[in-house]
């Protein structure tokens, strides 16, 4: 959701039927992948959010049928190519960069981000090769002048990526087999369905728009638009009276909220980059993926609407894993070997 072995033969081509269905689904605004958030239409109150009914189960279920559908996964060393869209401060970029670099930092204090990634590494392709243990920060592109405006649709997101990979100066490299393209929008940018149904999603680009089939993800900074929805639990919705937000580990509610969503999307891009590899359910257009199965679970006892047991620093900040020099709160992912959600801060694993 084990150390990675590099697969050196080309990935099998995506079937034409899947491309057709996928294109249709995007045009019809199919729901993308998103981490659990306290959406207003959920019938929850503060007590239920804190004391969920499923605390013991950590997402485990005999009914979950996660299957491998024979598509490629990312077994070669992974490069995360980042597009900074809009206005970003240097400290904000530093937090996100350090999280990405922490995925492969095996000497981090436990529980660590690299320990979290070990669960993702358990997934294999049809040759038995594991997902790579190496995830590194790739090339970066700044789009500080909002080249496609401050309101983006899902299709215009692909146009932003096209601009980044075809730029006349310092274009992002074209790397469809081991590259992930991460579009991060600043807190003054609205993306279609942002705050209403999604905080981030992943898919792959269409050759008709970008010229290549590239796995990509979008994650937005919700600090101004909806922190109580997409930066939870570091901010709480107005409709949950009496619930206090937790202190974020890096002092930036919007960016600390983004970290878990970035982890969610990168884990799913590694295991299901072309939406034809690891997922549950019979419909590749609406797949239930390894992070979807553990939405909102950050520690032992998590389940329902209870986050699970997390860690508290001496400064009062809440986190569940350590990076190179920072602490982060990242949701767990599904472990298909033991058939339940897994994380490095588990008390019983």
């Amino acid at each position: 959701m084990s150390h990675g072995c590099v697969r050196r033969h080309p990935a099998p081509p995506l079937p034409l039927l899947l491309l057709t269905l996928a294109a249709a689904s995007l045009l019809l605004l199919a729901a993308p992948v998103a981490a659990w958030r306290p959406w207003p239409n959920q019938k929850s109150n503060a007590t239920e959010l804190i004391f969920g009914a499923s605390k013991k189960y950590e997402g485990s279920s005999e009914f979950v049928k996660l299957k491998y559908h024979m598509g490629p996964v990312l077994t070669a060393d992974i490069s995360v190519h980042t597009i900074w869209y809009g206005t970003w401060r240097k400290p904000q970029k530093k937090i996100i960069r350090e999280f990405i670099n922490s995925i492969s930092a095996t000497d981090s204090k436990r529980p660590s981000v690299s320990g979290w990634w070990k669960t993702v590494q358990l997934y294999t392709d049809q040759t038995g090769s594991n997902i790579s243990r190496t995830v590194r920060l790739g090339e970066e592109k700044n789009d500080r002048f909002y080249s496609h405006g401050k309101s983006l649709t899902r299709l215009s997101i692909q146009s932003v990526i096209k601009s980044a990979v075809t730029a006349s100066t310092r274009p992002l490299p074209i790397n469809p087999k081991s590259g992930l393209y991460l579009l991060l929008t600043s807190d003054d940018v609205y993306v279609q369905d942002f705050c209403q149904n999604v905080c981030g999603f992943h898919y792959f680009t269409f050759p008709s728009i970008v010229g290549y089939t590239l796995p990509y993800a979008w994650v937005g900074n919700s600090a101004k638009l909806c922190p109580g929805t997409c930066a939870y639990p570091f901010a709480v919705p107005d409709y949950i009276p009496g619930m206090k937000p937790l202190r974020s580990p890096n002092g930036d509610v919007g960016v600390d909220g983004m970290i878990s969503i970035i982890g969610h999307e990168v884990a799913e891009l590694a295991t299901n980059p072309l939406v034809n590899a690891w997922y549950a359910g019979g419909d590749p257009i609406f797949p239930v993926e390894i992070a979807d199965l553990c939405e909102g679970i950050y520690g032992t006892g998590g389940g329902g609407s209870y986050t699970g047991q997390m860690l508290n620093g001496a400064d009062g900040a809440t986190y569940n894993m350590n990076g190179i020099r920072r602490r982060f709160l990242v949701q767990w992912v599904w472990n298909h070997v033991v058939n339940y959600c897994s994380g490095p801060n588990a008390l019983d694993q």
Side-chain angles (χ1 to χ4, degrees):
M1 77 167 139
S2 0
H3 295 308
C5 301
V6 178
R7 178 185 53 181
R8 303 194 181 277
H9 61 273
L14 190 66
L16 179 60
L17 175 61
L18 181 57
L19 277 173
T20 303
L21 289 171
S25 72
L26 192 60
L27 291 172
L28 291 173
L29 309 182
V33 174
W36 181 87
R37 291 295 180 269
W39 303 114
N41 60 359
Q42 288 184 246
K43 294 181 179 179
S44 299
N45 58 40
T47 302
E48 289 172 341
L49 284 168
I50 298 171
F51 302 106
S54 305
K55 285 191 281 185
K56 293 293 291 182
Y57 300 104
E58 295 158 31
S60 64
S61 174
E62 59 185 289
F63 302 109
V64 172
K65 304 297 181 184
L66 187 75
K67 294 181 180 179
Y68 178 51
H69 298 265
M70 305 306 288
V73 301
L74 300 185
T75 57
D77 291 353
I78 299 167
S79 295
V80 180
H81 303 301
T82 308
I83 302 168
W84 302 96
Y85 191 88
T87 303
W88 289 91
R89 293 183 286 108
K90 288 182 180 180
Q92 294 179 316
K93 289 183 175 182
K94 191 172 182 180
I95 295 169
I96 293 173
R97 286 178 183 137
E98 193 160 309
F99 171 69
I100 294 170
N101 284 328
S102 293
I103 295 174
S104 296
T106 56
D107 56 347
S108 296
K109 179 182 177 182
R110 295 183 181 183
S112 66
V113 176
S114 60
W116 167 82
W117 188 254
K118 285 182 179 179
T119 301
V120 183
Q121 288 177 246
L122 295 174
Y123 290 83
T124 61
D125 66 7
Q126 54 188 298
T127 72
S129 297
N130 294 86
I131 287 174
S132 175
R133 65 176 295 179
T134 301
V135 180
R136 59 171 62 97
L137 190 65
E139 300 298 316
E140 300 180 58
K141 192 72 177 173
N142 291 301
D143 195 333
R144 61 176 62 90
F145 297 113
Y146 308 87
S147 65
H148 291 73
K150 290 189 175 183
S151 182
L152 303 176
T153 66
R154 295 183 195 169
L155 286 179
S156 65
I157 280 176
Q158 295 205 20
S159 297
V160 173
I161 296 172
K162 178 183 179 180
S163 297
V165 299
T166 61
S168 57
T169 58
R170 300 184 65 182
L172 292 183
I174 304 299
N175 191 356
K177 294 179 183 177
S178 62
L180 302 182
Y181 296 80
L182 182 61
L183 174 61
L184 304 174
T185 51
S186 58
D187 59 12
D188 56 349
V189 176
Y190 175 75
V191 174
Q192 182 179 354
D193 293 330
F194 191 21
C195 300
Q196 300 172 24
N197 296 307
V198 296
C199 302
F201 62 80
H202 76 87
Y203 213 64
F204 54 85
T205 62
F206 300 151
S208 59
I209 297 176
V210 180
Y212 306 90
T213 300
L214 303 173
Y216 78 91
W218 158 75
V219 179
N221 186 335
S222 66
K224 292 181 179 177
L225 295 172
C226 57
T229 300
C230 292
Y232 177 87
F234 303 128
V236 297
D238 294 336
Y239 58 83
I240 305 180
M243 188 176 184
K244 294 183 179 180
L246 302 179
R247 183 173 179 179
S248 68
N250 296 291
D252 189 310
V253 168
V255 172
D256 276 317
M258 292 178 73
I259 292 296
S260 185
I261 305 168
I262 291 171
H264 180 121
E265 304 304 340
V266 169
E268 292 185 343
L269 280 168
T271 53
N272 198 28
L274 300 181
V275 201
N276 63 348
W278 288 95
Y279 63 87
D283 188 351
I285 303 307
F286 299 99
V288 178
E289 300 169 279
I290 71 166
D292 297 329
L293 291 166
C294 304
E295 290 175 354
I297 297 176
Y298 299 89
T300 298
S305 53
Y306 175 70
T307 56
Q309 296 187 43
M310 299 176 287
L311 303 173
N312 293 311
D315 59 353
T318 299
Y319 65 103
N320 67 344
M321 56 190 77
N322 296 287
I324 299 170
R325 287 172 293 272
R326 297 175 182 270
R327 301 161 298 175
F328 302 102
L329 183 69
V330 184
Q331 73 149 89
W332 287 7
V333 290
W334 187 260
N335 183 324
H336 70 298
V337 176
V338 295
N339 212 41
Y340 55 77
C341 296
S342 182
N345 58 311
L347 301 179
D348 55 354
Q349 295 178 24

